[in-house]
Amino acid sequence: MMVREWNPRTASSAEIASLLDTLNAVLAADLPQDPPWRDSSMREYLSEVMPGERRISWVAQEDDAPDGTPGAIVGHVHVLLLGGIGVLEVLVHPAVRRTGLGRDLVRVAARRVWDEGFQSIGVEVVGDTPAVAFYESLGFTRDYVETRSVLDLRTVDWPALTEMAAEVGAGYRVEFWPGGPPDELIEAYARAKAEVRDSDDVELRPSSYDPDRLRDSLATLHRRGMKPYIVLALHEQTGDVAGLTEVVVPAQHPTRADQYDTIVVLDHRGYGIDRAIKARMLLELRSAEPQLVEVQTWNAQDNESMLKVNAELGYRPDRDWCEYGVDVAELVHRLDSHR
Ligand SMILES: CC(C)(COP(=O)(O)OP(=O)(O)OC[C@H]1O[C@@H](n2cnc3c(N)ncnc32)[C@H](O)[C@@H]1OP(=O)(O)O)[C@@H](O)C(=O)NCCC(=O)NCCS
């Protein structure tokens, strides 16, 4: 077994395919209800980042066979270096777990984050999986918990949804923008997102609040093979974006889409916008992405109004989804003393 730095942009297709096999073995073991990933834009998914961000990756590869066949990639770690924090992701194939490989992968990544001058590392940890005990054993502590919920589109009451989509207060217009909002709406769109930045901020999945960041973020999604769909409510009198909802359909798992932000600007609450834009989104997705069977969303457990609307739409709570963090100096020290 060898751990080495690895560049997904120049890696062989066989390596990308081997990593994908490991990812799917991990999903089958830890999240058996999640759809397996496909080899569609996998290289771009692993290599493209926002301007100003850097992702550094390593793989653990088994020894080559005597006939020269390259060994399988059974472990992977990457850190995404963004404003002051390194966001970590580690995968170890279920067949080689509990041999210390996960710890070795965190060690090389943590050392690099330290060398790059970053102070903290964050990681998303899925509840009820071995990752919880793993990160806790390394001294990570839980900063934040969300609930993931999944909507099965086969259970949706489409006539009720059609009514919901129409029940928006007078003076608002609901629009659907596959691929992202048009450039003339970007400024108003960014203003709507900026308003909730303090209340709903999640450190590891930062939203983009200024128009240029927002353009970059949409372009990055496209480069990674992830198609954004936007529904927004326009306040006709002012031209303000009063509410917005974002769903992304990733080429890697196109039967299950990811709900990103949903925002209703404070002044515009109480007019049915939340329900109307989410209902409209599902109606549009049904025709734009006919292969889609599920949508998943993440919500703070105290966000009662959002949870209520999601429950009405048919979302079922799935699992806890946690953010853990650790001080890099402490982590490096702990790993060095655990050789
Ligand atoms: C979390 C993960 C990386 C651990 O990899 P690993 O190689 O098995 O971890 P290690 O062998 O280095 O374990 C280090 C320590 O973590 C703890 N640990 C790891 N797995 C554990 C488990 N299943 N139960 C209890 N403790 C565990 C132990 O303290 C272990 O030390 P020990 O074996 O000496 O007791 C691996 O399970 C994994 O890839 N999980 C999927 C992660 C993920 O990203 N999931 C999201 C998509 S599904």
Side-chain angles (χ1 to χ4, degrees), residues 165-166 168-169 171-186 188-189 228-247 261 263 272-285:
V168 62
Y172 294 98
R173 189 169 75 240
V174 176
E175 297 182 345
F176 171 63
W177 293 104
D183 208 61
E184 64 269 21
L185 282 177
I186 290 277
Y189 195 89
Y229 288 92
I230 311 290
V231 168
L232 48 81
L234 272 182
H235 184 230
E236 292 181 308
Q237 197 190 329
T238 57
D240 285 348
V241 168
L244 60 94
T245 188
E246 309 165 335
V247 169
D261 284 352
I263 290 165
I273 291 175
D274 189 0
R275 278 179 186 75
I277 59 182
K278 282 185 170 165
R280 173 74 178 273
M281 175 66 86
L282 293 173
L283 290 162
E284 296 284 359
L285 286 174

Side-chain angles (χ1 to χ4, degrees), residues 22-23 26-31 34 74 76 88-94 96-106 123-126 129-138 321 338:
T22 289
L23 169 64
V26 164
L27 286 173
D30 293 356
L31 290 171
D34 280 41
V74 293
H76 176 65
L88 185 71
E89 258 187 66
V90 185
L91 287 179
V92 171
H93 195 292
V96 295
R97 286 184 182 173
R98 295 307 286 274
T99 63
L101 179 55
R103 200 188 287 121
D104 286 346
L105 291 169
V106 172
V123 62
E124 278 193 356
V125 177
V126 185
T129 70
V132 175
F134 173 71
Y135 288 109
E136 288 180 355
S137 82
L138 296 177
W321 215 269
H338 197 299

